[in-house]
Amino acid sequence: MASWRRSLPSLTLLGLLSSFIIFLQSSYHVAKATTLTGIVHRSLIRKPTSSQNVLVFREAPSFWNGQACGSPQTSPIHISMTLDANYLRGTVAAVLSILQHSMCPENFEFHFLCSGFDPEVFSNINATFPYLRYKAYRFASSRVKGKISKSIRQALDQPLNYARIYLADMLPIHVNRVIYLDSDLVVVDDIAELWGVDLEGKVLAAPEYCHANFTKYFTDLFWSDLSLAKTFEGRNPCYFNTGVMVVDIDKWRKGGYTQKVEEWMTVQKLKRIYHLGSLPPFLLVLAGNIKAVDHRWNQHGLGGDNLEGKCRRLHPGPISLLHWSGKGKPWLRLDSRKPCTVDHLWAPYDLYLPSTHSVEE
């Protein structure tokens, strides 16, 4: 594996731009791939049709472990993401970014949560990452039937957005820890550092944002009902984003956290206590009781707010992960030729063909 593909230090904006230039210079030097199959058998995957709606990607470079890495069997790093046609372009970019910046890229095992086994989606994954170790799990929308309440943005109401609640029910028993990631992000550092965080007995680790106005994540009805508001008694609740989480799956199972989150979803159906999809019930159960990690692991909000998706600037400080949470997605803004400045930091990881955007746009 070429040295430029190995672990990089936490990046500032200047460093990110430098990484961008290096990637453009080097992305076509592809090494020989090691073929590893996913749980979906390749003989069951038909080739994409000629439909204009089918995305086509160029094959990613292959990435090999450094000498200090343990074997993939004894030192696996488990990553879980959702996988569907609507966000496939984002997922492909996220996977590439994880592999590119890892010292031990062969040690990753990906766990894709899907609403169904779309042959064209898996054909693209297999063709783009022929060496990728992954398994796929079907998330039945019936799990959340009758539990989802209308939120301020339609994308937040999709059943697959709630699949992260059920990780402990879907992943194999040998997976006792997992990093859950949204599909609208890229990693610009070695995510093994996040994987190795000491949870200190907590069930979940994520960046906390205690400067944020926590009250805005719940309605006036919630705060005026003392029987509801007292759920935060004895805690110092802070906002955290559920798009980047390290989860102790064993503790989640033993603590019955799926049921605890579902209970608040049931309350929401009876009383309108929040507006933001799957995030608030996580906050109700866990805010103030997680392991806080450095903010550089989730530079979120780059997609703007949930209504207009206006451009936003990077926050000052080191960056290990860029996250386009919010309405605006970088691939859509780049294709519309109306990108935000930060979208050009996502573009080097875009393997979509034909690619119509460039640095000059």
Side-chain angles (χ1 to χ4, degrees):
M1 183 173 63
S3 60
W4 68 271
R5 290 172 182 155
R6 297 194 178 182
S7 176
L8 299 179
S10 302
L11 299 178
T12 61
L13 178 57
L14 178 60
L16 283 166
L17 290 173
S18 299
S19 179
F20 178 22
I21 294 170
I22 291 171
F23 183 92
L24 292 178
Q25 293 172 338
S26 308
S27 60
Y28 290 98
H29 297 286
V30 182
K32 182 179 179 181
T34 301
T35 302
L36 295 168
T37 60
I39 197 171
V40 181
H41 199 281
R42 292 175 187 270
S43 65
L44 302 179
I45 302 299
R46 61 185 175 88
K47 292 182 179 180
T49 66
S50 58
S51 169
Q52 292 182 351
N53 294 325
V54 177
L55 298 181
V56 178
F57 301 88
R58 68 177 181 268
E59 184 177 327
S62 60
F63 302 93
W64 297 337
N65 278 357
Q67 293 182 351
C69 298
S71 73
Q73 290 71 35
T74 59
S75 305
I77 297 176
H78 298 284
I79 306 287
S80 183
M81 307 175 70
T82 58
L83 181 65
D84 71 345
N86 292 329
Y87 278 77
L88 179 59
R89 193 165 162 189
T91 302
V92 167
V95 171
L96 175 61
S97 72
I98 293 168
L99 298 174
Q100 179 189 333
H101 294 289
S102 172
M103 182 67 74
C104 305
E106 294 179 275
N107 287 14
F108 288 108
E109 183 171 333
F110 287 84
H111 303 268
F112 294 125
L113 313 180
C114 319
S115 57
F117 293 115
D118 185 333
E120 288 170 350
V121 168
F122 287 102
S123 178
N124 265 312
I125 292 294
N126 290 335
T128 307
F129 303 104
Y131 49 82
L132 194 69
R133 293 197 306 149
Y134 75 85
K135 295 179 182 177
Y137 312 83
R138 184 176 180 274
F139 176 69
S141 59
S142 59
R143 294 292 300 269
V144 289
K145 185 177 181 180
K147 298 184 178 75
I148 298 177
S149 300
K150 186 178 177 64
S151 64
I152 62 174
R153 184 159 61 91
Q154 187 177 2
L156 300 177
D157 300 338
Q158 302 306 308
L160 198 57
N161 190 46
Y162 289 79
R164 71 196 77 189
I165 298 170
Y166 300 92
L167 282 169
D169 298 334
M170 302 174 70
L171 299 185
I173 197 69
H174 72 272
V175 178
N176 51 35
R177 173 183 287 216
V178 70
I179 299 177
Y180 177 85
L181 298 174
D182 277 349
S183 296
D184 53 357
L185 55 77
V186 292
V187 178
V188 294
D189 208 343
D190 193 337
I191 204 169
E193 182 179 339
L194 181 62
W195 171 258
V197 66
D198 183 357
L199 290 174
E200 298 179 358
K202 305 296 186 183
V203 71
L204 186 150
E208 274 188 326
Y209 303 91
C210 295
H211 62 279
N213 181 3
F214 189 79
T215 61
K216 73 177 183 178
Y217 293 99
F218 303 96
T219 63
D220 291 340
L221 175 61
F222 172 84
W223 293 113
S224 63
D225 188 329
L226 296 181
S227 65
L228 297 175
K230 72 177 183 181
T231 189
F232 293 116
E233 284 184 0
R235 291 193 267 166
N236 180 25
C238 297
Y239 162 73
F240 66 91
N241 182 280
T242 56
V244 180
M245 303 184 291
V246 183
V247 183
D248 186 321
I249 297 296
D250 286 341
K251 285 186 179 296
W252 185 280
R253 288 192 189 103
K254 293 173 182 177
Y257 283 92
T258 295
Q259 292 70 33
K260 292 176 182 179
V261 173
E262 284 184 327
E263 287 171 4
W264 281 110
M265 293 167 65
T266 301
V267 173
Q268 165 74 349
K269 295 293 290 186
L270 301 174
K271 301 179 181 181
R272 187 74 173 172
I273 60 174
Y274 55 79
H275 299 297
L276 277 176
S278 63
L279 167 64
F282 268 89
L283 297 179
L284 285 160
V285 174
L286 289 163
N289 195 27
I290 70 169
K291 167 62 178 178
V293 299
D294 198 288
H295 288 180
R296 65 188 173 90
W297 283 109
N298 195 352
Q299 175 91 207
H300 69 290
L302 301 183
D305 60 26
N306 281 296
L307 297 176
E308 299 181 60
K310 293 182 178 179
C311 294
R312 289 184 177 175
R313 297 179 179 179
L314 294 174
H315 300 298
I319 299 169
S320 294
L321 184 150
L322 296 156
H323 187 186
W324 279 260
S325 57
K327 184 177 181 180
K329 302 307 173 189
W331 55 92
L332 298 178
R333 296 194 296 212
L334 286 161
D335 285 355
S336 71
R337 296 182 178 271
K338 297 179 181 178
C340 299
T341 301
V342 295
D343 297 338
H344 294 297
L345 300 176
W346 179 89
Y349 304 97
D350 186 15
L351 294 176
Y352 171 63
L353 291 174
S355 181
T356 58
H357 55 262
S358 65
V359 178
E360 288 78 25
E361 290 179 347

